[in-house]
Amino acid sequence: MDETKPKRPNGLAFISVIWLLSGLANIYMSFQTIILDIEAFPYLNGPLIAHPWFNTGIVAELILAVFLVILGLIQLITVPGLWTGKPYSYKLALGVPILLLIANVSSSVLYATAPAEVGLDTGSSNFYVAMSVFGVIIYWWYLREPHVQAFLGVVQPKTIIQEEKEPEIQQEPVSLKEEKSMAKDGKFYCRYCGKENETDAVFCEKCGKKLK
């Protein structure tokens, strides 16, 4: 494992599990709806149809079911990225909840347009809409946290670089007599840090203090 990669946040691990389960649930329930709608196709526009609403309602429901299957598959694709910290999963995890919300709102509106005598239960569709709204808020709030973005590779993790600095050696300044004796062989030694300087230098090359 890359030691520089941040540790997986616990909340992101929880979201990965939720996405895995919800993705499987969306695929399963949508397939069930698709099967029922296909079985009802031969009866559309026929005398045995319970209400004319079904002629368009079933077609619309079939389209929404196929759309939810696709979103469920995208959820399953996103889970490994969320678990291992892949950048592609970040955008999918922000976009899919919005698409799920649109699909669930569309289903709720579709069922709400059905006549009362049809007897469709709109309670479950309204529940999915509420859960979708909650999911969008939670995902968009949590996934945009800096430590979550760092794990997903969206932003670079903040690293603290400690630069090793040479300890400054402070010495007591020597007397003027001793200072003159330090000049030898065309060189002059700083009386503060002992750095060798040219005899015509005014300031020390190391500590910057005035030499003369």
Side-chain angles (χ1 to χ4, degrees):
M1 183 178 180
D2 188 359
E3 295 181 356
T4 62
K5 190 174 184 62
K7 182 181 178 182
R8 182 192 311 110
N10 293 331
L12 196 58
F14 178 75
I15 288 176
S16 300
V17 175
I18 293 298
W19 271 53
L20 175 62
L21 297 177
S22 63
L24 291 173
N26 283 333
I27 293 173
Y28 174 76
M29 291 187 296
S30 298
F31 262 120
Q32 295 298 316
T33 302
I34 291 172
I35 293 172
L36 292 175
D37 289 342
I38 291 176
E39 290 176 351
F41 260 39
Y43 304 100
L44 296 183
N45 298 313
L48 298 179
I49 194 74
H51 193 279
W53 176 88
F54 283 97
N55 292 327
T56 56
I58 288 181
V59 175
E61 185 182 59
L62 178 61
I63 294 173
L64 288 173
V66 172
F67 183 62
L68 285 171
V69 169
I70 295 173
L71 290 181
L73 293 173
I74 295 176
Q75 281 184 282
L76 297 184
I77 294 172
T78 307
V79 170
L82 293 175
W83 189 264
T84 59
K86 302 299 182 184
Y88 80 88
S89 63
Y90 176 73
K91 292 183 178 180
L92 290 179
L94 292 178
V96 169
I98 295 178
L99 296 177
L100 284 172
L101 175 60
I102 294 173
N104 288 324
V105 169
S106 301
S107 296
S108 181
V109 171
L110 176 65
Y111 296 146
T113 58
E117 58 268 24
V118 172
L120 291 179
D121 181 20
T122 59
S124 58
S125 60
N126 292 335
F127 171 77
Y128 290 131
V129 170
M131 291 299 296
S132 297
V133 172
F134 179 75
V136 169
I137 295 173
I138 293 298
Y139 295 142
W140 274 73
W141 166 74
Y142 182 75
L143 291 173
R144 298 178 71 182
E145 288 291 310
H147 68 288
V148 177
Q149 290 183 330
F151 176 75
L152 294 176
V154 180
V155 297
Q156 292 297 324
K158 293 181 180 179
T159 56
I160 301 175
I161 302 175
Q162 297 180 346
E163 296 180 354
E164 295 183 0
K165 295 184 178 180
E166 247 181 62
E168 186 178 349
I169 303 174
Q170 295 184 350
Q171 298 178 351
E172 292 294 330
V174 299
S175 64
L176 184 58
K177 183 179 180 180
E178 291 174 322
E179 183 182 86
K180 290 180 179 179
S181 67
M182 293 176 71
K184 50 186 175 182
D185 299 330
K187 299 291 184 181
F188 190 84
Y189 297 85
C190 177
R191 59 175 174 164
Y192 294 97
C193 66
K195 169 67 178 176
E196 185 181 62
N197 294 273
E198 297 292 338
T199 54
D200 57 349
V202 179
F203 297 96
C204 177
E205 295 177 1
K206 183 177 181 181
C207 66
K209 293 185 179 181
K210 194 171 182 180
L211 297 172
K212 299 177 184 179

